[in-house]
Amino acid sequence: MHEILIAPSILSADFARLGEEVRAIDVAGGDWVHVDVMDGHFVPNITIGPAVVAALRPHTRKVLDVHLMIAPCDPYIEAFARAGADIITVHAEAGPHLDRSLQLIRSLGRKAGVSLTPSTHESAIHHVLDRLDLVLVMTVNPGFGGQSFIPAMAEKIGSIRRMIGRRPIHLEVDGGVNVETAAVVAAAGADVLVAGSAVFAGGRYAENIEAIRSAARSAAAVAIQGK
Ligand code: DX5
Ligand code: ZN
């Protein structure tokens, strides 16, 4: 069974106090810090750029998991690497050359991820699997926090888990993850759960992270026994 990691998304944080918010989710037990970068072109929202990632870097030693929802992505990858991103994830749909983007990320000494929006088939990553450290399955359409989990994504997570096989690749999910859906995605084979609204709800970060983690762990254990 895979260890379950929780990656709180700072998209749901108070942007006027981001450094403090990053420290708070670190202390509350978040494993990675998930940073959503949006360009108002690939997705209908604009958020964070490399300068903000660089400003956040001194606030935590945890993994900065940077999710680029931008197109094109190649011109900005180096800036995010220099800013201190540990993992840089690009969208398969952002183009134009996914294989080149993944090579570029690894050449900068960072871990490379690819993300798929809900309508993209898992076959999009078949020929780049050996260039990947992480696959990010979007379980909502990217652009906003607080949307509802798309149930059809459970099957896709299962297919990707089988494609990964014994490769050391994380399978991360993002969008609509809460205590209920955490169980669904963990049973399907996800090992890194991004959560924005469900972590920041009510200001009880530690309690929320623990509830998501324990729901995911139990569901993953039951799924393994059933195999
Ligand atoms: C959506 C972002 C997500 C978002 C998740 O485009 O990629 O990381 O913050 O938010 P919740 O957990 O609220 O769905
Ligand atoms: Zn994200």
Side-chain angles (χ1 to χ4, degrees):
M1 199 177 110
H2 307 274
E3 189 194 353
I4 300 283
L5 303 178
I6 307 297
S9 164
I10 58 167
L11 187 60
S12 295
D14 177 350
F15 273 29
R17 299 186 298 113
L18 265 189
E20 202 181 305
E21 292 276 69
V22 164
R23 293 199 302 277
I25 52 177
D26 177 330
V27 168
D31 297 293
W32 296 356
V33 176
H34 185 81
V35 181
D36 287 307
V37 176
M38 305 187 186
D39 66 353
H41 166 73
F42 180 69
V43 290
N45 195 3
I46 301 180
T47 55
I48 284 171
V52 175
V53 174
L56 292 175
R57 182 68 279 186
H59 291 269
T60 183
R61 297 175 75 155
K62 293 199 173 165
V63 166
L64 281 184
D65 173 33
V66 175
H67 177 192
L68 298 184
M69 287 162 274
I70 64 176
C73 52
D74 290 10
Y76 302 99
I77 286 173
E78 189 175 349
F80 283 101
R82 283 181 188 276
D86 297 291
I87 303 172
I88 300 178
T89 296
V90 297
H91 267 266
E93 306 84 5
H97 304 295
L98 177 60
D99 185 90
R100 175 179 288 140
S101 307
L102 297 170
Q103 288 194 49
L104 174 60
I105 297 167
R106 281 193 167 172
S107 76
L108 294 163
R110 300 300 186 262
K111 297 220 185 293
V114 65
S115 181
L116 303 178
T117 66
S119 63
T120 300
H121 193 269
E122 57 271 19
S123 60
I125 60 172
H126 180 81
H127 295 289
V128 294
L129 269 181
D130 291 321
R131 296 209 189 281
L132 294 177
D133 300 295
L134 176 143
V135 178
L136 171 53
V137 176
M138 289 300 305
T139 41
V140 299
N141 288 293
F144 303 96
Q147 304 180 80
S148 299
F149 177 82
I150 299 174
M153 294 303 102
E155 186 190 342
K156 188 180 187 171
I157 295 163
S159 305
I160 295 177
R161 175 48 73 197
R162 288 188 291 278
M163 284 172 77
I164 289 174
R166 303 180 75 83
R167 293 177 179 84
I169 300 177
H170 284 293
L171 177 43
E172 182 175 45
V173 295
D174 185 6
V177 172
N178 55 33
V179 170
E180 287 78 39
T181 57
V184 174
V185 299
D191 67 309
V192 185
L193 278 58
V194 176
S197 354
V199 165
F200 286 86
R204 293 184 295 272
Y205 304 170
E207 204 177 300
N208 294 340
I209 289 169
E210 201 36 48
I212 296 166
R213 195 196 304 281
S214 99
R217 269 194 191 144
S218 320
V222 170
I224 293 282
Q225 280 167 9
K227 279 196 179 141

